Amino acid sequence: MNAIRPLRLAGAVFDVLLPPVCAACGVTVEPGRPPVCGACEARLPRIPFPRCPRCGFTRLADLSSPDRCGECEAWPEQLHRAESAFLHEPPAEALVHGLKYRGWTSLATRMGALMAPVARRLARGPALLVPVPLAPSRMRERGYNQAGLLAEALAHELAWPSRPALSRGRQLRRQVSSGRADRARNVQGAFRVTPSFLSELSTTRELADLPIVLVDDVVTTGATAAACAASVEAMGLSCVGVVSFARTPPRVPGV
């Protein structure tokens, strides 16, 4: 079922009952518009150049080898590429928080539209969009998967298919304050390709021929995306990489 249509209907109802406001700064926006004002959207922080062709982040030179990127050098080989629309800093951070924790699901439509050019750059052609899944307990608490909403918004923008092809095989600890090594250990073996998706692939040739692009709201260390990509490729499928709305800047030691 396409979750974007009921979200638009719900948004229209709330526009009548409550004046819509920007999720980042709180100013009133026009009814029918996504809850982000033009000023905040114009201030969304782009990732500075030069960018690494693999991780999509501002290239951080490894002093031991200038041809390597210090940010993605430690990434598992299964995560081939990553692209993000913006830095995970204000006001992009507020949009991610509003979608993820405050129930502002109507943000997904606009965030997905802003991600579309980045997804095209990553995939270089049509692809199958697969959201990074939530743990079942978090799905029950939240009532939706923010990555799933972004994947559906992207599918609408790009006319590409989207499928919830992955599930979490076990409960994960919260990743928010974890370092790179802890994140990698936490997600190891946590994801699997669903039997229903494999069954669909066996009967739908057009779907089976498409490479997979993972979709998430934020990429931090790449550990979650790498674990998802490993699960996809373990089934003999092709995973191009991950596209996200925002990218967390790397931590600077001692700061």
Side-chain angles (χ1 to χ4, degrees):
M1 177 182 177
N2 189 328
I4 298 298
R5 291 176 185 172
L7 288 179
R8 287 175 176 158
L9 177 60
V13 172
F14 278 109
D15 283 350
V16 173
L17 299 177
L18 296 171
V21 298
C22 175
C25 70
V27 304
T28 302
V29 298
E30 294 179 11
R33 282 183 52 84
V36 53
C37 70
C40 285
E41 186 169 312
R43 292 192 298 110
L44 290 171
R46 302 281 180 179
I47 298 174
F49 289 95
R51 296 174 184 165
C52 172
R54 183 187 181 195
C55 68
F57 194 70
T58 306
R59 191 176 184 89
L60 301 177
D62 184 340
L63 296 180
S64 64
S65 177
D67 293 333
R68 296 180 179 178
C69 175
E71 171 64 6
C72 61
E73 175 67 14
W75 279 10
E77 62 179 11
Q78 291 91 345
L79 184 53
H80 305 301
R81 292 182 63 208
E83 292 279 3
S84 303
F86 305 102
L87 288 173
H88 192 226
E89 294 180 346
E93 188 176 27
L95 302 188
V96 169
H97 190 273
L99 174 63
K100 192 169 185 175
Y101 298 115
R102 299 177 64 191
W104 289 38
T105 52
S106 56
L107 282 166
T109 301
R110 185 58 187 155
M111 291 168 70
L114 293 170
M115 292 166 64
V118 181
R120 287 194 191 96
R121 185 167 68 236
L122 174 69
R124 299 172 184 169
L128 173 63
L129 300 163
V130 172
V132 171
L134 279 180
S137 61
R138 299 237 171 87
M139 188 70 179
R140 288 193 296 271
E141 291 170 4
R142 198 169 297 166
Y144 61 92
N145 175 10
Q146 71 278 357
L149 297 182
L150 292 174
E152 290 191 11
L154 268 176
H156 176 77
E157 287 290 324
L158 300 171
W160 293 356
S162 173
R163 295 291 188 279
L166 291 170
S167 65
R168 296 206 182 214
R170 59 182 175 83
Q171 178 67 48
L172 306 180
R173 301 187 306 277
R174 286 181 61 84
Q175 297 262 82
V176 174
S177 59
S178 301
R180 184 184 296 272
D182 287 338
R183 283 173 177 262
R185 284 191 294 269
N186 191 29
V187 296
Q188 188 174 9
F191 303 96
R192 68 186 183 94
V193 179
T194 63
S196 60
F197 176 65
L198 292 175
S199 177
E200 184 179 9
L201 285 186
S202 67
T203 58
T204 312
R205 185 66 185 177
E206 296 81 5
L207 211 60
D209 288 340
L210 290 174
I212 287 174
V213 168
L214 301 169
V215 180
D216 210 352
D217 56 341
V218 181
V219 167
T220 301
T221 65
T224 298
C228 289
S231 297
V232 167
E233 297 204 334
M235 302 305 297
L237 305 172
S238 171
C239 182
V240 176
V242 60
V243 61
S244 68
F245 179 75
R247 176 67 176 273
T248 303
R251 295 177 181 175
V252 179
V255 176

